[in-house]
């Protein structure tokens, strides 16, 4: 029998990507919660390169990096396809999920955790420009069409974590006025029954981000 | 008839990745050389997000990002497979090619183009640590086995560009003493008949990197 272990951290949007994919496909797995201040020997053995969650171990074989894991899950368990079937659409899904990781998340990070006001404004401007590309790309209910796909799962951060960060740090980015399609998508995504059940508690996340924001402000004094 | 256009820059390791894949598979294409100081309207239209080469246009449909393009090429033209067939090996190929882009190339960039000696040493140290992971991962003639695969193509920079940068900037990194397997791989790779014919002229690259190094030194004075 296939054995699946999944190492994560409750609040991590990258770990939750893997969890959502496993749940969408109905894959049985054992979950191991990591403590990032005291990483387990198993985590360090399975992901010596990045020493980070998520890690998926399938029949003893470990994999790291959430987008790599998502594609592996999709190629291994064929029900509820996450990637499109056609090569060009598959390539676009890879392109936009990488765009989220390589451009949008770093820009939002600069906007949220930089105490310097000028740098922060620059981060917000970069985030707006990057999100505009994504807004333009959204042509159906989900990026995956009528069902959740790779780009939706990669974008979980935008739908759930970003609003909590906005509330913690006092800027507003993904609003229904500025990004009507993305905003509606974010609501549809977090209210999808499988997604909804597999998000971290909002109040805990809010406390965490408020603390992080206070620390970033204090560090600049 | 399928029409393939490929926008590149002669000296770009990212564009050469695409060229090597097209040649390995024997795909006919039209090449358009871009001038990065004066980008064509076509390039900006086809890659509005990153405004960079390489861009592949297949039957009018554009794609950017070299690793995304390589996977698209592999899924569209099945001869000479670039990715392994098994999901786990495919995932590892994706992991290591991303590792090259996300960890090794930035570390080498810090080592090569930072005038501050301390920062430079740090970049070299990071590069060594990252290359050690890759050295350990190399188990056959090529990362792809007996034939060239995704990780080999992604690593073209290490085999051809890095030695030229070493010569331009006066550090040594990928030596046969420190990395015996990677060094042998680099020789096998650049001497592969298809690769050999599709690399830029070494002397031109050397002049370019010497100029870049001089500029980075001058900028710090």
């Amino acid at each position: 029998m296939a054995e699946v272990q999944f190492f994560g951290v409750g609040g991590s949007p990258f770990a939750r990507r893997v969890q959502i994919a496993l749940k969408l496909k109905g894959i049985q797995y054992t979950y191991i919660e990591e403590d990032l201040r005291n990483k387990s020997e198993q985590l360090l053995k399975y992901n010596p390169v990045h020493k980070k969650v998520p890690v998926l171990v399938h029949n003893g074989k470990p994999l790291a990096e959430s987008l790599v894991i998502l594609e592996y899950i999709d190629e291994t368990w064929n029900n509820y396809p996450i990637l499109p079937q056609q090569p060009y659409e598959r390539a676009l899904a890879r392109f936009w999920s990488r765009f989220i990781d390589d451009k949008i998340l770093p820009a939002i990070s600069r906007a949220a955790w930089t105490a310097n006001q000028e740098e922060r404004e620059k981060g917000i401007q970069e985030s707006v420009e990057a999100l505009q590309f994504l807004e333009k790309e959204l042509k159906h209910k989900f990026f995956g069409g009528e069902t959740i796909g790779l780009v939706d799962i990669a974008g979980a951060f935008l739908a759930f974590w970003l609003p909590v960060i906005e509330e913690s740090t006092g800027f507003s980015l993904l609003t229904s006025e500025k990004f009507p399609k993305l905003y509606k998508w974010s609501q549809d995504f977090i209210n999808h029954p499988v997604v909804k059940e597999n998000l971290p508690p909002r109040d805990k996340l809010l406390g965490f981000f408020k603390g992080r924001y206070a620390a970033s402000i204090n560090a600049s004094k």
Side-chain angles (χ1 to χ4, degrees), chain A residues 95-106:
Chain A
F95 177 87
W96 289 110
S97 49
R98 281 289 156 192
F99 177 70
I100 290 171
D101 278 9
D102 296 346
K103 295 287 167 189
I104 299 186
L105 300 192

Side-chain angles (χ1 to χ4, degrees), chain A residues 80-99:
Chain A
Y80 200 104
I82 290 172
L83 268 88
Q85 300 305 302
Q86 294 303 314
Y88 186 70
E89 279 68 37
R90 292 168 71 80
L92 289 183
R94 291 185 185 115
F95 177 87
W96 289 110
S97 49
R98 281 289 156 192
F99 177 70

Side-chain angles (χ1 to χ4, degrees), chain A residues 22-213:
Chain A
L22 291 169
K23 292 285 187 181
L24 282 172
K25 285 177 179 273
I27 301 162
Q28 298 291 316
Y29 63 89
T30 308
Y31 176 67
I32 299 110
E33 173 83 12
E34 280 291 325
D35 175 359
L36 293 185
R37 289 159 303 182
N38 183 22
K39 292 172 187 175
S40 74
E41 274 181 43
Q42 278 187 303
L43 180 69
L44 300 177
K45 182 182 89 179
Y46 286 140
N47 188 7
V49 175
H50 302 294
K51 303 178 177 69
K52 288 195 292 197
V53 297
V55 165
L56 189 84
V57 185
H58 185 205
N59 293 328
K61 292 178 179 173
L63 273 181
E65 297 291 85
S66 63
L67 297 181
V68 170
I69 294 172
L70 291 179
E71 286 218 50
Y72 174 77
I73 289 174
D74 204 41
E75 291 188 351
T76 304
W77 291 275
N78 299 324
N79 65 314
Y80 200 104
I82 290 172
L83 268 88
Q85 300 305 302
Q86 294 303 314
Y88 186 70
E89 279 68 37
R90 292 168 71 80
L92 289 183
R94 291 185 185 115
F95 177 87
W96 289 110
S97 49
R98 281 289 156 192
F99 177 70
I100 290 171
D101 278 9
D102 296 346
K103 295 287 167 189
I104 299 186
L105 300 192
I108 291 177
S109 190
R110 269 192 293 279
W113 314 123
T114 312
N116 178 299
Q117 194 57 30
E118 203 178 313
E119 283 298 307
R120 201 182 178 193
E121 292 295 335
K122 229 162 103 179
I124 292 174
Q125 190 50 39
E126 278 174 28
S127 304
V128 168
E129 283 166 20
L131 287 172
Q132 279 166 348
F133 281 113
L134 213 56
E135 171 86 3
K136 222 174 130 186
E137 189 56 26
L138 185 57
K139 286 159 191 146
H140 303 281
K141 181 176 182 183
F142 295 115
F143 289 96
E146 290 307 306
T147 55
I148 286 175
L150 184 71
V151 182
D152 301 290
I153 299 174
F157 174 88
L158 302 174
F160 186 74
W161 279 259
L162 176 57
V164 183
I165 292 176
E166 292 181 12
E167 190 179 333
S168 314
T169 63
F171 71 89
S172 86
L173 195 57
L174 189 51
T175 64
S176 58
E177 292 75 32
K178 280 185 275 188
F179 300 101
K181 290 197 292 176
L182 266 183
Y183 181 79
K184 185 181 174 302
W185 162 83
S186 73
Q187 299 306 304
D188 287 339
F189 182 75
I190 59 172
N191 286 307
H192 182 287
V194 170
V195 174
K196 200 171 187 165
E197 274 184 15
N198 290 288
L199 293 171
R202 195 181 194 280
D203 53 345
K204 217 172 146 185
L205 215 56
L206 188 64
F208 172 78
F209 284 134
K210 279 187 172 169
R212 183 168 171 186
Y213 182 62

